[in-house]
Amino acid sequence: MSKFVIYEVVPRLFNNSNSSNKWKGSIDENGCGKFNNFTEKALSEIKALGATHVWYMGVLEHATQSDYSAYGIKKDHPAVVKGKAGSPYAIKDYYDVDPDLAEDVTNRMSEFEQLIERTHKAGLKVIIDFVPNHVARQYHSDAKPKGIADLGENDHDEWFFSPLNNFYYLPGQPFSPSFDIQSYKEYPAKVTGNDQFTATPSETDWYETIKLNYGVNYVEGMQKQFDPIPDTWHKMRDILLFWAAKGVDAFRCDMVEMVPVEFWGWVIPQIKKKHPSILFIAEVYQPSEYRNYICNGKFDYLYDKVGLYDTLRGIMSRNHSAQGITYAWQKLGDISDRMLNFLENHDEQRIGSGFFCGSGMYAQPGMIVSATLTKGPVMIYFGQELGELGMDSEGFSGVDGRTSIFDYWSVKSIQNWINNGKFDGDKLSNEQKELRAFYKRLLNIANSEKAISEGLMYDLVYANLDNQNFNLRQQFAYIRKHKNDLLLIVVSFHDKDLHTEIRLPAEAFQYLDMKEGHTYECVDLLEESKQYPDVELSSKKMFQAIIPAWKGKIFKLKRK
């Protein structure tokens, strides 16, 4: 598969032109972005940035404190909703879209279907979340197709566990969290989404959600009862088929390790049989399970959060050596190209926040590595390309370095880029313009250069362990090659410009099927193909370059 670039965006926040940003403000006070805000112009600009896919995060209807009962949507109890807007991962109806995102609530599904069409017309593919492990505390589908039973509709709540049930129950126990839940009543209590098999979850638990039952008896030795196929499996397959039929191109699957791998190995081939090109991306955090979810779970790609992301964050925070990048990809071995790389997403702190680097400009060397080290996909989070700080106190989400997914809010950097629909970035600072230009060049290089999307990678660190003119702690270098396309990539996490010398070992020439001693034209793709003097590539000569502080070079070498 060719490399692709994901642009993750929260529609609720994107192009919300209301800038009142009242703490804990309602949708009427703070406003909300809409599906229709993703105009042809907006999508063309996302495409021009280098994106191939747009992940519309928070599309499915979820629990909220906003009242849509006038539209036949059951009102949620505020005690089991996090924030005024609610968590996009507390799904309330798998067969509906978030009414917040529609200009005409009664026409909300049609507005989303039109968004899919516009996205495809712009040359982009659509990703949405599939949240399989848990649902909102008061889940109720009012939009499910005729003849489909709702989750929990036929459950026996006097049983803690049964493969016939969709939920787990705590018979004889009322839901009684260890904090005030006002007048909310639930009897018997259902098990909380983050595997809290108790009627008294804490405020730090996923108390607003209930866990789905895939046929695993957690109380009696984790027994798996998969024959006959549990009812939940069939219901979730039908949900995936429903969205795939609407033209969704990929599913980002939430917390897949909390769902048995056997389910994924059963359901994904069935979806792909009807929709062969559809992709499944797994949010996983246990490296020991990576191959299990690729081989047995049949996923196309997995998150590499605890691998390359954590490694790069440690380097960018000056806690670890750049040599850690070598260890990160070596641990993955043959599955490195099946990992999704990123430096930001809705769960992680913004690079520009005071909890990370303090400025988005420091992202550049890490982002180069994230985008070009492997053939796997790369993702950015909307506003990352502008150095968004994520240091607002929105309401449920405090000053934590993240952009809230629970509150109605607007993102100033995004507003300044959109500039009332012009998308000209005229209101951006010079630094923001420079950073966005960097991302635009890098992401387009990543998905257009075959040496990156299809080629081999050769890590040059070990060849330079005894090289006094190569800073092993704060520099990293590698080669990417495909046929006659050759790239030498060098990055620096140092505060000063560094004159560096890089040894290309004889083994690299052998591995990449290159002959030594030839002369090459040299340009830096990141500097809009700036021409450098010709160079001779040989294991007997050092490649010399000046790498600016907290930046990198992608040298394209063409044999003369």
Side-chain angles (χ1 to χ4, degrees):
M1 296 181 184
S2 297
K3 191 177 195 74
F4 55 87
V5 176
I6 300 171
Y7 188 79
E8 182 193 359
V9 60
V10 182
R12 178 191 293 159
L13 304 177
F14 185 86
N15 209 359
N16 177 15
S17 58
N18 187 328
S19 57
S20 59
N21 283 350
K22 178 182 176 182
W23 184 71
K24 291 191 176 181
S26 68
I27 188 171
D28 292 330
E29 292 168 323
N30 284 356
C32 184
K34 307 293 180 183
F35 290 135
N36 290 349
N37 292 147
F38 291 93
T39 60
E40 290 183 10
K41 176 64 174 173
L43 292 167
S44 68
E45 289 298 325
I46 292 172
K47 170 76 171 175
L49 185 64
T52 59
H53 293 62
V54 183
W55 168 13
Y56 296 109
M57 198 280 275
V59 163
L60 301 190
E61 183 185 334
H62 56 267
T64 178
Q65 292 189 35
S66 295
D67 184 0
Y68 289 99
S69 56
Y71 299 93
I73 299 172
K74 208 171 176 182
K75 190 175 179 180
D76 298 297
H77 195 291
V80 285
V81 179
K82 289 181 175 177
K84 290 287 186 182
S87 169
Y89 294 95
I91 303 300
K92 179 181 176 179
D93 188 344
Y94 278 120
Y95 287 101
D96 209 348
V97 295
D98 182 7
D100 279 349
L101 304 179
E103 292 182 356
D104 176 4
V105 175
T106 59
N107 199 37
R108 57 191 179 276
M109 185 61 79
S110 178
E111 288 187 20
F112 177 62
E113 290 167 347
Q114 291 168 29
L115 173 60
I116 293 175
E117 290 179 13
R118 285 197 305 278
T119 306
H120 288 162
K121 187 176 179 181
L124 295 160
K125 294 186 181 295
V126 173
I127 302 174
I128 66 168
D129 289 287
F130 177 55
V131 187
N133 176 67
H134 50 273
V135 294
R137 204 98 217 167
Q138 295 182 294
Y139 182 91
H140 172 75
S141 176
D142 50 50
K144 65 185 187 297
K146 189 176 180 179
I148 290 182
D150 211 358
L151 286 167
E153 184 176 325
N154 300 316
D155 278 10
H156 295 270
D157 62 10
E158 69 274 19
W159 300 339
F160 163 75
F161 166 79
S162 167
L164 302 175
N165 282 355
N166 299 134
F167 303 123
Y168 295 95
Y169 298 88
L170 299 167
Q173 300 180 58
F175 182 61
S176 305
S178 58
F179 57 95
D180 180 25
I181 58 166
Q182 303 164 37
S183 59
Y184 177 73
K185 304 293 183 184
E186 181 180 300
Y187 184 90
K190 300 181 186 73
V191 168
T192 296
N194 61 324
D195 291 358
Q196 292 302 303
F197 291 82
T198 172
T200 58
S202 73
E203 203 163 3
T204 58
D205 288 316
W206 304 350
Y207 64 82
E208 83 283 16
T209 69
I210 47 180
K211 184 173 178 65
L212 284 167
N213 172 4
Y214 284 82
V216 180
N217 189 337
Y218 286 84
V219 169
E220 298 179 356
M222 297 287 289
Q223 294 179 23
K224 297 180 178 180
Q225 298 185 27
F226 299 156
D227 187 14
I229 297 298
D231 183 70
T232 302
W233 291 29
H234 292 289
K235 284 187 167 71
M236 303 311 272
R237 178 195 59 192
D238 292 344
I239 290 161
L240 286 166
L241 287 170
F242 174 83
W243 292 105
K246 289 191 178 295
V248 167
D249 301 290
F251 294 101
R252 178 269 187 189
C253 300
D254 187 68
M255 299 303 295
V256 303
E257 293 159 306
M258 300 183 82
V259 173
V261 71
E262 292 87 347
F263 164 73
W264 298 113
W266 175 84
V267 76
I268 290 177
Q270 293 186 64
I271 309 303
K272 284 179 174 283
K273 185 176 181 179
K274 292 191 175 183
H275 305 275
S277 63
I278 205 160
L279 297 176
F280 284 81
I281 303 167
E283 179 191 22
V284 296
Y285 295 105
Q286 299 181 68
S288 62
E289 289 294 310
Y290 283 177
R291 283 175 174 78
N292 190 19
Y293 281 88
I294 289 174
C295 298
N296 298 318
K298 309 300 182 184
F299 277 95
D300 297 292
Y301 298 102
L302 314 179
Y303 265 38
D304 195 18
K305 193 274 178 190
V306 299
L308 190 61
Y309 170 84
D310 283 351
T311 297
L312 289 171
R313 174 156 186 162
I315 297 165
M316 293 162 67
S317 302
R318 306 166 190 266
N319 294 318
H320 299 113
S321 168
Q323 284 182 268
I325 299 170
T326 297
Y327 306 142
W329 72 257
Q330 285 182 337
K331 285 178 184 177
L332 294 171
D334 62 315
I335 63 169
S336 62
D337 294 332
R338 302 288 292 275
M339 307 305 291
L340 168 63
N341 296 327
F342 55 86
L343 287 182
E344 283 190 5
N345 64 39
H346 66 272
D347 285 320
E348 309 302 337
Q349 290 170 324
R350 295 284 194 174
I351 299 162
S353 76
F355 297 89
F356 198 159
C357 283
S359 169
M361 298 298 285
Y362 290 109
Q364 294 180 63
M367 196 61 216
I368 293 170
V369 173
S370 188
T372 68
L373 184 65
T374 74
K375 291 184 281 190
V378 64
M379 178 172 72
I380 71 166
Y381 186 40
F382 82 122
Q384 177 182 342
E385 73 277 22
L386 305 172
E388 170 58 35
L389 302 180
M391 293 294 285
D392 296 335
S393 177
E394 299 97 338
F396 183 84
S397 181
V399 181
D400 58 2
R402 299 175 178 87
T403 298
S404 177
I405 62 171
F406 305 100
D407 303 283
Y408 296 111
W409 205 254
S410 60
V411 182
K412 188 66 175 175
S413 60
I414 290 289
Q415 284 184 330
N416 288 343
W417 166 57
I418 292 174
N419 192 19
N420 297 314
K422 297 177 184 176
F423 292 90
D424 57 8
D426 190 56
K427 294 183 179 180
L428 297 176
S429 69
N430 289 335
E431 186 176 272
Q432 287 176 315
K433 291 177 181 177
E434 179 187 339
L435 185 60
R436 190 174 189 279
F438 159 77
Y439 274 94
K440 188 172 184 178
R441 288 195 297 272
L442 174 64
L443 298 179
N444 278 283
I445 290 166
N447 65 29
S448 65
E449 288 290 334
K450 288 190 178 298
I452 296 170
S453 61
E454 300 179 35
L456 296 171
M457 188 276 290
Y458 191 92
D459 188 329
L460 292 168
V461 168
Y462 282 128
N464 289 275
L465 289 176
D466 60 351
N467 181 354
Q468 298 293 320
N469 295 313
F470 186 83
N471 188 320
L472 289 165
R473 182 170 179 80
Q474 294 173 302
Q475 288 188 295
F476 190 73
Y478 50 102
I479 296 173
R480 297 302 308 264
K481 182 178 183 291
H482 177 262
K483 296 182 179 178
N484 294 325
D485 293 333
L486 180 65
L487 303 178
L488 174 60
I489 302 169
V490 191
V491 299
S492 175
F493 301 91
H494 199 282
D495 288 333
K496 296 179 180 179
D497 296 357
L498 292 180
H499 177 275
T500 187
E501 296 183 356
I502 304 164
R503 179 181 295 116
L504 279 59
E507 292 80 4
F509 288 90
Q510 294 170 4
Y511 178 73
L512 298 171
D513 192 23
M514 295 168 53
K515 291 184 178 180
E516 295 192 43
H518 288 294
T519 301
Y520 291 77
E521 294 178 355
C522 180
V523 298
D524 178 12
L525 298 181
L526 283 173
E527 284 194 276
E528 299 179 344
S529 298
K530 178 181 176 181
Q531 188 76 41
Y532 282 78
D534 292 349
V535 295
E536 179 188 336
L537 297 186
S538 167
S539 60
K540 300 178 177 62
K541 298 188 70 172
M542 294 288 193
F543 183 95
Q544 301 188 35
I546 296 175
I547 311 300
W550 289 94
K551 292 186 184 295
K553 301 283 187 183
I554 300 179
F555 294 112
K556 186 164 188 175
L557 301 162
K558 185 176 181 181
R559 184 174 160 181
K560 298 193 74 171

